[in-house]
Amino acid sequence: MKKIIAPGICLRVYEPDDADVFAAVVRESVETVGRWMGWCHADFNSDHARDWFTVCDKGREEGTAYEFGIFSEDGKELLGGAGLNMISKLHNYCNLGYWIRQSEQGKGIATRTTMLLADAGFMQLGFNRIEIVAAESNTASMAVAKKVGAQLECMARNRLIVGGLPVTAAVHSLLREDWQASLTYDVQK
């Protein structure tokens, strides 16, 4: 999968020309996204972005991760990033993660993105289980998990590293057998 287009949103692979905008969006979002994700820092630059794009391309080629930029429906305005990653082929599940640029938070973008990626993960990639893991104090991410119908399974101690320290995280799950989303979107492979 390289692109998922739905009304109001486009998830697509990063292109080399996205690097400068990606770096600017990351720097804009240090206050909110940087609280939870160590890669989001004030010195993030276009070289960092290109390095990330290379990692994303490699993961897609190897089938170990499907990372996307979240864009406006026309594919031009960068709204954030999301992906299906930490894929276990043995147990047929993955992690679903997302971040939204600071100026676009609170508009339902993370929820729509999560619904699209979960549906593609189940219907296109055939996963049985998708996990959403969020630090226990990351109430915004936990709210997204709840909105999409993910089941809170546990609070796992020392599950994530945030700010260099291990923290407890909420582990939510979505299961293919329970998934009933009826979404309209186009997938380009």
Side-chain angles (χ1 to χ4, degrees):
M1 291 185 308
K2 291 191 173 185
K3 187 183 278 188
I4 302 171
I5 303 170
I9 199 165
C10 173
L11 308 180
R12 69 164 172 80
V13 298
Y14 297 107
E15 299 168 357
D17 289 346
D18 295 328
D20 292 341
V21 170
F22 187 94
V25 166
V26 168
R27 289 190 303 271
E28 167 198 317
S29 306
V30 169
E31 183 182 324
T32 53
V33 176
R35 280 182 72 190
W36 312 111
M37 300 181 181
W39 55 264
C40 182
H41 54 81
D43 296 326
F44 196 95
N45 62 43
S46 298
D47 289 335
H48 294 124
R50 282 186 284 276
D51 290 345
W52 172 240
F53 299 170
T54 299
V55 168
C56 294
D57 291 342
K58 184 177 180 189
R60 182 172 282 97
E61 288 169 14
E62 295 174 349
T64 58
Y66 296 89
E67 301 289 347
F68 299 91
I70 305 169
F71 290 87
S72 55
E73 187 173 353
D74 63 7
K76 294 181 181 175
E77 183 186 0
L78 180 63
L79 307 173
L84 299 170
N85 49 48
M86 302 187 75
I87 294 171
S88 170
K89 292 180 182 181
L90 177 65
H91 299 292
N92 200 27
Y93 77 94
C94 68
N95 178 72
L96 191 158
Y98 42 83
W99 65 274
I100 305 300
R101 74 185 290 174
Q102 190 163 322
S103 62
E104 295 295 324
Q105 293 173 4
K107 297 179 181 179
I109 296 166
T111 301
R112 286 186 310 193
T113 297
T114 300
M115 293 290 288
L116 282 172
L117 275 183
D119 200 75
F122 292 133
M123 302 306 158
Q124 303 296 321
L125 299 172
F127 291 116
N128 291 324
R129 174 185 173 89
I130 297 174
E131 293 182 352
I132 300 171
V133 180
E136 70 178 328
S137 53
N138 188 343
T139 55
S141 281
M142 290 197 306
V144 169
K146 184 176 181 179
K147 284 179 192 174
V148 301
Q151 181 74 37
L152 175 62
E153 292 189 341
C154 70
M155 298 300 283
R157 297 178 300 150
N158 292 354
R159 177 60 175 81
L160 296 175
I161 301 294
V162 176
L165 299 172
V167 299
T168 297
V171 178
H172 296 84
S173 68
L174 295 166
L175 303 179
R176 181 169 33 185
E177 66 234 31
D178 297 335
W179 189 251
Q180 295 182 15
S182 56
L183 304 171
T184 302
Y185 60 93
D186 180 42
V187 175
Q188 296 176 7
K189 299 189 182 205

